[in-house]
Amino acid sequence: MKKSESTENTIIINREHKDSLFTFLFNNPAALKELYSAIEGINLSPDIPVDINTLTGILIRGQLNDVSFTIDNRLVVLIEHMSTISDNLPLRLLMYIGRLYESIIDDEKRYQRKLEKIPSPEFIVLYNGKERFPDHKELHLSTAFQNTEDLKLSENKIPLELIVQVYNINQGYNQQILSKSKTLDSYSILISKIWEYQKEKISLEESLKSAIKYCIENNILRDFLKRHSSEVYNMLFGEWDFEKEKAVAIREAREEGHDSASLEIAKNLLAEGLTPEFVKKTTGLDLETIQKLSLK
């Protein structure tokens, strides 16, 4: 298994890709251990190692807000999600986990006769968008399968399943989790302040600056924000601008008469890195609409 290059208390800034603030904050073993313990409601031993093995550019086209890591013989895929939660997340994660296992398990071990033990997978999504969402929801890959009632299954077991745990981390939700992870709670407060200023119809630039200023003045991620204020601002601006452009593109496409199912399929295919031409052939959408959705 590949070893992480991260040190216990160091934040690694990936300058080759568009990191999100979420990955910027949690791309280190100490923060991930705190966050994972809070979500699972467990106390991990201090000497349990955390190996970060995130695959770049797979889940979100042009914007990386996922962290993958191994901890206590578990392979965890963790995603922060500001957009509407898609029911196709389990399908996307199925594609992701195959590539992830391929990256951490040697070729020889895959083909040997002896059983190779692999870390158990877990899929966690942290939602902090502005639409109403419950504290917790499970998404199942099997809900996408066609004609399952016709399969002759032993004890009604589905041959393949993948379950995604989605947690709402907005302020006022999942307080037990937030109370056990100071970093996550602080991040949640920062995001909530941005949404709050946006509701007041303040410009995006002023909303971000005001939220960062509020957090510094109230000792919320103070040292971190003072140290990385310009980088944090640029990351947040990129994320918010990306979400705004995507929402406009989807609204325009719907106004032009495209059904939501085709749009959702197109978004997911683009997120997997497939070409606009392939998406056009698959969904029937025109190239102009697809290019708007791709938001390169």
Side-chain angles (χ1 to χ4, degrees):
M1 190 171 293
K2 293 182 179 179
K3 296 295 181 183
S4 167
E5 296 179 358
S6 303
T7 56
E8 186 71 11
N9 295 301
T10 302
I11 293 175
I12 304 299
I13 305 173
N14 188 342
R15 302 186 186 277
E16 296 180 2
H17 301 279
K18 296 178 182 177
D19 286 290
S20 69
L21 178 57
F22 179 82
T23 57
F24 193 19
L25 275 171
F26 289 101
N27 195 34
N28 73 87
L32 286 173
K33 191 178 294 185
E34 175 196 88
L35 177 57
Y36 184 75
S37 297
I39 293 171
E40 297 293 334
I42 57 177
N43 294 314
L44 290 169
S45 171
D47 60 351
I48 289 181
V50 177
D51 292 329
I52 300 173
N53 42 43
T54 306
L55 296 178
T56 59
I58 302 297
L59 287 178
I60 306 297
R61 185 179 180 84
Q63 189 161 5
L64 308 179
N65 60 353
D66 60 290
V67 182
S68 173
F69 58 99
T70 51
I71 182 171
D72 197 23
N73 294 318
R74 301 169 194 175
L75 179 56
V76 183
V77 179
L78 177 68
I79 310 171
E80 179 257 3
H81 210 300
M82 293 172 62
S83 302
T84 302
I85 296 296
S86 168
D87 289 335
N88 291 309
L89 268 175
L91 177 60
R92 291 163 61 185
L93 285 165
L94 174 66
M95 299 174 181
Y96 184 94
I97 195 66
R99 298 175 193 177
L100 193 51
Y101 277 128
E102 186 177 21
S103 73
I104 65 174
I105 300 173
D106 296 335
D107 287 345
E108 289 184 10
K109 292 182 178 179
R110 286 182 235 159
Y111 296 104
Q112 66 187 13
R113 291 186 62 185
K114 179 184 177 183
L115 177 66
E116 176 66 18
K117 292 288 188 177
I118 60 176
S120 303
E122 287 189 42
F123 306 95
I124 300 170
V125 173
L126 303 179
Y127 173 72
N128 64 348
K130 62 181 179 179
E131 296 185 8
R132 292 181 64 85
F133 196 82
D135 278 76
H136 173 255
K137 183 178 181 180
E138 282 190 356
L139 301 179
H140 293 246
L141 176 66
S142 59
T143 59
F145 296 156
Q146 297 178 343
N147 302 325
T148 53
E149 65 277 4
D150 297 335
L151 294 175
K152 295 181 179 179
L153 305 175
S154 174
E155 300 178 1
N156 295 319
K157 291 181 180 178
I158 299 294
L160 177 65
E161 184 61 284
L162 186 152
I163 302 172
V164 183
Q165 305 294 341
V166 185
Y167 298 94
N168 191 337
I169 59 167
N170 283 295
Q171 290 293 294
Y173 295 84
N174 284 305
Q175 289 305 304
Q176 188 171 6
I177 293 176
L178 294 177
S179 67
K180 292 181 178 179
S181 174
K182 184 177 180 180
T183 306
L184 182 64
D185 188 36
S186 299
Y187 174 72
S188 173
I189 293 171
L190 173 61
I191 300 302
S192 72
K193 294 306 292 185
I194 299 173
W195 287 128
E196 183 181 317
Y197 290 124
Q198 284 280 278
K199 284 181 181 178
E200 297 174 6
K201 299 187 184 302
I202 301 175
S203 70
L204 176 59
E205 293 88 344
E206 289 303 314
S207 295
L208 298 178
K209 291 176 182 177
S210 297
I212 292 171
K213 180 181 177 182
Y214 171 89
C215 288
I216 291 174
E217 290 177 346
N218 289 273
N219 198 27
I220 299 165
L221 294 174
R222 176 188 288 171
D223 293 339
F224 174 82
L225 291 174
K226 289 178 73 172
R227 217 168 37 240
H228 303 289
S229 58
S230 61
E231 287 173 299
V232 169
Y233 172 85
N234 289 331
M235 288 178 192
L236 288 170
F237 186 87
E239 291 177 68
W240 248 258
D241 200 46
F242 178 87
E243 293 296 330
K244 182 173 67 176
E245 289 183 25
K246 185 166 63 175
V248 170
I250 293 170
R251 186 177 69 248
E252 288 178 348
R254 285 174 178 164
E255 289 173 353
E256 291 168 5
H258 301 298
D259 66 273
S260 58
S262 295
L263 293 170
E264 189 63 36
I265 292 170
K267 284 191 297 177
N268 290 325
L269 291 174
L270 290 167
E272 294 300 329
L274 297 171
T275 65
E277 290 74 19
F278 178 87
V279 175
K280 177 179 183 295
K281 188 181 296 184
T282 304
T283 64
L285 296 173
D286 59 89
L287 279 175
E288 183 179 355
T289 297
I290 294 168
Q291 286 164 354
K292 287 179 181 178
L293 291 174
S294 68
L295 299 175
K296 292 183 180 179

